[in-house]
Amino acid sequence: MNLLQTLPNFLAYFASAIGLFGLFGLFTSLYIRLTPYAEIQLIRQGNLSAAVALVGTLLGFALPLASAIAHSVSLVDMLIWGVIAMLVQVLVFLGLSRLVPELKGGIESNTLAHGVFLGGASLCIGLLNAACMTY
């Protein structure tokens, strides 16, 4: 019986998270437009560097989003922290692309080191971001 009472909250949080994250939700759409290369096209061509970079970034966003869902006091609170997690991942990309200016060319030319670096750094910052979202 308790499951039926909490099902609407589950559905609201899940739908909101999918809207923020989703395969082509707000974050994913924003991120692939922000980057100077076409991740989806590169991935379709078998570019492992682009795939690793994108998956690391998606995980780097999903972790704090999951933490926000688990720790938020309301749906609005979760959405606010989700937007903050989005902003952090955008800043990670912008910072790393300035630190390693050849990142764009490296990912486009399928240099795995660049994809691992971007994806790994995004994942690490996302993990720290998630840990900070507890109160």
Side-chain angles (χ1 to χ4, degrees):
M1 188 65 147
N2 190 27
L3 171 69
L4 295 178
Q5 292 172 339
T6 59
L7 186 60
N9 281 341
F10 165 80
L11 293 174
Y13 277 80
F14 190 70
S16 296
I18 293 299
L20 284 175
F21 177 79
L23 185 53
F24 286 101
L26 182 61
F27 174 71
T28 307
S29 296
L30 171 73
Y31 187 79
I32 62 176
R33 283 176 178 73
L34 170 73
T35 58
Y37 42 84
E39 283 95 341
I40 303 303
Q41 182 181 359
L42 291 171
I43 292 167
R44 285 184 177 139
Q45 295 169 355
N47 185 313
L48 188 57
S49 180
V52 168
L54 184 59
V55 167
T57 299
L58 294 176
L59 286 169
F61 175 66
L63 285 167
L65 183 59
S67 182
I69 291 167
H71 298 102
S72 64
V73 295
S74 68
L75 186 59
V76 172
D77 187 43
M78 184 274 290
L79 290 170
I80 291 168
W81 284 108
V83 170
I84 291 169
M86 226 182 277
L87 178 62
V88 167
Q89 284 300 314
V90 165
L91 292 174
V92 168
F93 174 76
L94 293 174
L96 291 178
S97 62
R98 291 192 65 146
L99 180 66
V100 183
E102 61 275 6
L103 196 62
K104 174 191 182 284
I107 289 177
E108 287 178 329
S109 66
N110 202 13
T111 304
L112 193 54
H114 290 103
V116 170
F117 177 68
L118 177 56
S122 298
L123 182 56
C124 290
I125 297 299
L127 184 59
L128 295 174
N129 191 6
C132 292
M133 288 187 182
T134 60
Y135 16 106

